[in-house]
Amino acid sequence: MSSALKEAISRFIEASDGGANGVFPTGIDGLHIMRSTELKMPHAMVYRPALCVIVQGAKQLMLNERVIDYRQMQALIISIELPASGRVIEASEEKPYMAISLEFDVGVLREVMEQLDKPPKPTGSARLAIFVEDLNQSLEDCLVRLTRMLATPSAIPVLYPAIMREICFWLLTGPNGGEVCKLVLPDGQTRRIADAIRLLRDHFAEPMRIEQLAAAARMSPSSFHQHFKTLTSMTPLQYQKQMRLLEARRLMAAGYANVESAAYQVGYESASQFSREYARMFGTPPKKDVTEMRMAAE
């Protein structure tokens, strides 16, 4: 089943940069194509709600204490914004890792759900906001057409909205539609936690009390804490800490701040505490980590 999508992505990469490794931006916001001939060390970033499909190879996602593996022709579906680390665990010159990711348009997803004769019912129990499913033929066909469209930029504004709607339809009517629909249910736990995460993301450098976040989620503090950890695999404090450290890393790598100023900009009162927590998260002290990142980018 994977030959058509693999061929479409291979052609796009060849036309973009002669088959080099990396993350390839496209003419569509939120659509990225990846290729690597090498195994990759864990790379920490914030994952947005998206459909991520491996076309060849395998990848591992580390979410706090949870580890999720997925491989060729499997789809990773993320339903809430999460800081996590991902690494390529299967790749070679002969069979490079190739993947495609598409961020969800929640507005379109809501519109499609409202038009379904039999909209999916949300699954009863709360679960981690990431899951893996096998890619079906209908979704693959959509991704093939989406990738081929990139060769004709003038077609994107005309054809892309219809393909996004089709992708939303197949996800909502698929085996995990009861999980996907939670992204748009206004009073569902996933949307409520997403509202709190938005507040946390926009003010991550400020002290944040659990009561403030619970109020944003329209939950009691105890219920909010429980549901937050179920969906994200971490506490609100752990989530905020990871957001702070990821932003500090970005500031230092871009040359906008040194270790001390980055620490204060993201909300730390102590540069030494910042350095300790940074080393625990990224495996090396901040100054050394940033130096290595810059050398790797040269």
Side-chain angles (χ1 to χ4, degrees):
M1 182 176 74
S2 64
S3 58
L5 185 55
K6 187 186 301 183
E7 179 183 356
I9 288 179
S10 296
R11 286 186 176 181
F12 170 80
I13 292 172
E14 188 66 31
S16 299
D17 202 4
N21 291 338
V23 178
F24 298 85
T26 68
I28 298 174
D29 288 342
L31 178 69
H32 297 89
I33 290 173
M34 290 74 72
R35 181 184 189 273
S36 179
T37 57
E38 305 169 347
L39 304 184
K40 294 288 187 179
M41 295 295 289
H43 174 66
M45 60 179 286
V46 176
Y47 286 79
R48 301 186 185 278
L51 170 70
C52 309
V53 174
I54 294 181
V55 182
Q56 185 168 268
K59 190 173 182 179
Q60 186 175 82
L61 197 70
M62 289 146 285
L63 182 66
N64 206 25
E65 298 176 353
R66 299 287 294 273
V67 177
I68 300 169
D69 292 338
Y70 65 119
R71 55 186 56 253
Q72 181 169 315
M73 301 316 289
Q74 286 189 315
L76 180 80
I77 298 173
I78 305 169
S79 60
I80 208 166
E81 193 169 304
L82 292 169
S85 295
R87 63 172 181 167
V88 175
I89 59 174
E90 186 177 304
S92 67
E93 289 285 351
E94 296 74 24
K95 290 187 175 183
Y97 166 85
M98 290 190 292
I100 181 169
S101 69
L102 176 65
E103 292 182 14
F104 290 126
D105 186 323
V106 176
V108 173
L109 192 67
R110 183 181 296 110
E111 290 175 7
V112 172
M113 184 167 167
E114 289 173 349
Q115 293 180 21
L116 294 178
D117 290 336
K118 295 182 179 180
K121 295 181 179 180
T123 53
S125 58
R127 55 184 273 191
L128 187 66
I130 294 181
F131 59 88
V132 176
E133 69 178 35
D134 293 335
L135 187 70
N136 62 45
Q137 186 68 58
S138 299
L139 276 174
E140 185 196 0
D141 289 344
C142 292
L143 293 174
V144 169
R145 283 182 277 124
L146 198 60
T147 306
R148 289 173 177 169
M149 185 197 307
L150 298 173
T152 311
S154 60
I156 293 174
V158 178
L159 302 179
Y160 168 66
I163 296 180
M164 171 59 86
R165 290 179 67 85
E166 188 177 349
I167 288 172
C168 291
F169 174 87
W170 294 121
L171 288 171
L172 286 166
T173 59
N176 289 294
E179 284 297 318
V180 176
C181 73
K182 292 179 180 179
L183 277 75
V184 297
L185 294 175
D187 291 323
Q189 295 166 353
T190 299
R191 286 307 312 162
R192 291 184 180 194
I193 297 297
D195 290 341
I197 283 177
R198 189 177 302 111
L199 177 65
L200 193 56
R201 180 194 64 202
D202 294 343
H203 302 278
F204 66 85
E206 304 170 15
M208 193 69 65
R209 295 166 54 243
I210 193 74
E211 290 79 8
Q212 291 174 272
L213 297 170
R218 306 182 302 285
M219 295 180 177
S220 68
S222 59
S223 178
F224 169 74
H225 193 279
Q226 176 187 347
H227 285 103
F228 190 100
K229 190 165 185 180
T230 299
L231 285 169
T232 67
S233 188
M234 62 190 83
T235 66
L237 181 60
Q238 290 171 327
Y239 190 106
Q240 182 184 39
K241 184 183 297 184
Q242 291 199 27
M243 293 289 287
R244 286 179 168 182
L245 294 172
L246 282 167
E247 174 62 10
R249 195 185 204 201
R250 185 193 69 81
L251 290 171
M252 292 185 294
Y256 298 142
N258 58 24
V259 174
E260 186 172 7
S261 62
Y264 295 135
Q265 284 187 55
V266 300
Y268 280 85
E269 296 181 357
S270 164
S272 59
Q273 181 188 0
F274 165 76
S275 295
R276 288 194 300 272
E277 294 185 354
Y278 188 103
R280 278 198 294 269
M281 180 167 173
F282 297 113
T284 187
K287 185 176 292 187
K288 181 180 179 182
D289 181 48
V290 171
T291 299
E292 290 175 350
M293 282 196 295
R294 289 176 178 169
M295 291 176 62
E298 292 177 354

